[in-house]
Each structure stands twice: as C-alpha cells, then as structure tokens.
Amino acid sequence: MREEKLDVVAENAEANAEDRLLDLLIPPQQQGDGAESLQKTREKFRSSLREGKLDDRIVEIETRERSFPAFEIITNAGVEEMDVNIKEMLHGLFGQKTKKRKMRVAEALDYLVQEEESKLIDMDQIQRIAVDRVEQSGIIFLDEIDKIAGRESGHGPDVSREGVQRDILPIIEGTTVNTRYGMVRTDHILFIAAGAFHVSKPSDLIPELQGRFPIRVELKPLTVEDFIRILKEPKNALVKQYTALLDTEGVKLTITDDAQAEIANYAAKVNESSENIGARRLHTIMEKLLEEISFEGPDLKKKGVRVDSAYVRQQLADIVKDQDLSRYIL
C-alpha cells in the first residue's frame, strides 16, 4: 500500500526536492537579482542537475536524527515478536534533532526526495486502507498444520497440540485481533492450511477445526516436467540465480536445455528413493552440480562455462547411485 502511494506522489516529491536543492546551489547574490533573472538561473541549474552535471558538488543540508533513550527490553520472546513497537510509540515523546551534514548533490537529492515523500504520504490513511484490505481480501496460509494434529490423551505432547488447535480456532472462525496497526477482524479472511500428514491424519484434528477447512485437496508428487518448469519459468529461477551469481565473478555460465532436463530427472529420482521434499531438492542438486565451478570461478582462465547433460551425469551419477551419499549430500 505504501509503495502505491509512493508512486502517486513520486513526481511531486522529486520536484519539491529539486526546488530545495536549487535553493542551496544558487549563490545568494544571484538570488537577490530580479525575478526574471533568478528564474533563468534556476532553470539552467535545474537542467544541469537533471543531466547529472552537478552530482559531485558538495552541499550542506539539515538532516533529521531520531534520538531515543537507551533502554533494553528483556522478554521470553524476541523483541521482533512483540505486538507493540516501543520505539514507534515513544517516537513522538522525544522528538527529532537536526544537524547539518555535507554530502554530494546526488546523495542529497536522494535524501530530500525521501524526506518529501514522507511529508506527502498520510501514513494513518495508508494503515486504515491496509487494514481494510486485510479484512476483506486477506489470505493467511497455515503451513505444517499436521504438526499440531493429535487427540488429547491425558499426557505428553498431544495435550499441547490440541491446545494449540483450540487457540487458533477462534481466529479462523472470526474474531478481532489486536495488531500494531490496529484492530483487525478475521471474519472474511481466507485461511488455507497445509500439511504432509505422513504420520498423522486430517481426522486427528479436533472436529471444530476440521469443519473450518471443508475443502481438502491431495497433491501429487512433482514430475520431471514440473521440475523443468520450476528451473526455467519463475522470475527467480535457480538457473537465473546461479547465472547472475557467477556473472559477478566474470564467469558466463550457460546451462543447456538437455542439462536442465537431466537435473530435473535426478531430482525426481532422489525424491523417489529417499524423502520426497519436493522442489527443495533442486537447491541441493544445483549446489552440488555447480560446486566446483562456484569455488574455482574467480581463478578460471576460461570465463565461459557450458553445462550440458554429460557434465551433469559426470557430477551427479555416482552420488545418486550411492543411497547413503544421496541421503546426506542431496
């Protein structure tokens, strides 16, 4: 939501920041000239500023400092888990100090743009809209719900498991939750739960919770074709990540289509022969496959590396055959 508002006010914030910076760049004696002459001078400086000709000049601007008293909070949970942000709560009590800092024009412009954006954005309105969106269109995903599946047997961990189920039941049914952004009603929020259920069963959940998840979908294991798509299609696909990572070392990595098919084939095989961990298997396969190239990358004389199916088999075939090794390495 904040990013949406930033896009709306970005143009005005940049214009305001430019004007503030021009006030600092134009010599005082020129500011005392006539209005027409001053306007011409400002436009010349504005043009030079936008072209980057003034980036290395040094200007002195007032920057705001947040000063908080030194204090430490000791709780059983981490500070990041607390519902109330103490610093934000005390921010208004201690105010802000300003001090003058010298910086390059390029840095000063970025700082002033951010300052103008914060002036133009109404954070209270953003929080209200965000809370309304959460209440009307929010989706909460509860992963590994099988870990709390279990009937109360009077002793052991089952008691706490059922207790956790009863704790989250009112939130799923619909209640009001206190958050750092205000009260949020969960009546119209969509809850999606998932679990492996290889030890427990969905029927081990308490009946009330089962009734709140009426639609059940059983997923099939990923196929070789699925692994190939995962390697290629996502914006942050592993092949793209490793190509960009090695590019920082000056190594041009090329992973052919047949190599990607072979990687997918090995991932599917290891999932079948050992624990099926889904697409996570690709991370370990790729790490082992490119281990030598990643390590030797900066020292390689030949900066172009091509990975084909033969190279994949050379690096992975023996490991996949050895069940003990594949269990621990892949």
Side-chain angles (χ1 to χ4, degrees):
M1 185 63 212
R2 185 173 183 274
E3 282 70 20
E4 291 179 16
K5 290 294 183 182
L6 284 177
D7 291 338
V8 174
V9 303
E11 189 173 341
N12 289 336
E14 190 171 345
N16 293 345
E18 278 185 357
D19 287 333
R20 289 177 60 184
L21 200 53
L22 289 173
D23 291 338
L24 298 172
L25 289 169
I26 298 175
Q29 63 271 19
Q30 293 191 20
Q31 292 191 14
D33 297 341
E36 185 176 350
S37 175
L38 177 60
Q39 186 61 31
K40 288 181 180 179
T41 303
R42 288 183 70 88
E43 291 308 314
K44 286 181 181 179
F45 270 82
R46 191 187 302 274
S47 176
S48 299
L49 179 64
R50 291 178 177 177
E51 291 173 5
K53 295 179 180 179
L54 306 177
D55 284 354
D56 293 328
R57 283 202 184 186
I58 302 298
V59 293
E60 189 176 55
I61 65 173
E62 283 194 354
T63 59
R64 297 179 181 179
E65 289 186 328
R66 293 184 178 181
S67 56
F68 298 104
F71 60 88
E72 186 175 353
I73 301 171
I74 301 175
T75 62
N76 292 332
V79 175
E80 68 277 5
E81 296 177 8
M82 297 180 63
D83 289 334
V84 180
N85 188 323
I86 301 296
K87 285 191 174 182
E88 286 189 1
M89 185 174 68
L90 298 179
H91 171 67
L93 297 178
F94 299 99
Q96 290 180 330
K97 292 181 180 180
T98 61
K99 75 170 185 178
K100 290 188 176 181
R101 284 182 54 196
K102 290 184 179 181
M103 60 179 71
R104 294 172 57 249
V105 165
E107 298 171 354
L109 183 60
D110 289 339
Y111 177 85
L112 292 175
V113 167
Q114 293 178 17
E115 199 172 87
E116 290 299 324
E117 286 174 345
S118 65
K119 291 179 181 178
L120 294 172
I121 291 177
D122 184 354
M123 288 305 299
D124 291 335
Q125 181 190 28
I126 289 177
Q127 289 185 10
R128 288 195 299 270
I129 296 174
V131 168
D132 183 66
R133 286 189 181 181
V134 168
E135 290 181 338
Q136 301 303 322
S137 308
I139 300 175
I140 294 179
F141 189 84
L142 304 175
D143 195 14
E144 297 186 346
I145 199 169
D146 58 302
K147 299 293 177 61
I148 62 169
R151 297 297 182 85
E152 185 173 356
S153 59
H155 64 278
D158 289 339
V159 178
S160 61
R161 288 175 184 167
E162 184 169 334
V164 173
Q165 294 179 58
R166 295 198 179 278
D167 285 341
I168 67 174
L169 181 60
I171 301 174
I172 297 173
E173 288 181 330
T175 187
T176 302
V177 179
N178 185 19
T179 72
R180 59 183 293 187
Y181 301 110
M183 307 300 287
V184 176
R185 288 203 59 83
T186 64
D187 300 70
H188 302 295
I189 293 177
L190 173 63
F191 286 86
I192 301 174
F197 290 104
H198 59 291
V199 176
S200 58
K201 304 183 294 296
S203 57
D204 289 334
L205 294 166
I206 59 175
E208 299 92 330
L209 197 57
Q210 292 181 50
R212 294 299 168 184
F213 294 102
I215 302 174
R216 298 181 186 173
V217 178
E218 185 176 345
L219 302 180
K220 296 179 180 179
L222 293 171
T223 64
V224 174
E225 289 73 22
D226 294 328
F227 281 121
I228 294 174
R229 291 185 60 193
I230 292 169
L231 283 171
K232 290 182 177 181
E233 296 182 12
K235 184 178 179 181
N236 60 339
L238 283 174
V239 171
K240 299 175 184 176
Q241 287 188 37
Y242 273 99
T243 301
L245 180 64
L246 288 171
D247 188 53
T248 62
E249 302 287 352
V251 178
K252 301 297 181 183
L253 176 67
T254 303
I255 301 179
T256 62
D257 289 340
D258 62 323
Q260 295 181 40
E262 199 69 31
I263 292 168
N265 187 43
Y266 279 122
K269 281 183 180 179
V270 177
N271 271 353
E272 288 176 4
S273 60
S274 60
E275 185 179 0
N276 190 342
I277 59 174
R280 291 187 183 95
R281 187 67 66 187
L282 289 172
H283 281 275
T284 51
I285 292 281
M286 291 288 291
E287 184 178 2
K288 188 61 184 175
L289 173 66
L290 300 174
E291 188 177 45
E292 291 182 11
I293 298 174
S294 299
F295 182 77
E296 298 174 358
D299 302 321
L300 287 175
K301 294 181 180 179
K302 186 179 179 182
K303 293 298 183 179
V305 177
R306 186 173 184 270
V307 174
D308 55 16
S309 59
Y311 182 84
V312 175
R313 286 192 293 270
Q314 176 188 337
Q315 295 295 111
L316 300 178
D318 292 339
I319 297 174
V320 173
K321 287 179 182 177
D322 191 326
Q323 292 296 322
D324 289 333
L325 279 178
S326 64
R327 183 175 303 169
Y328 291 106
I329 297 178
L330 302 179

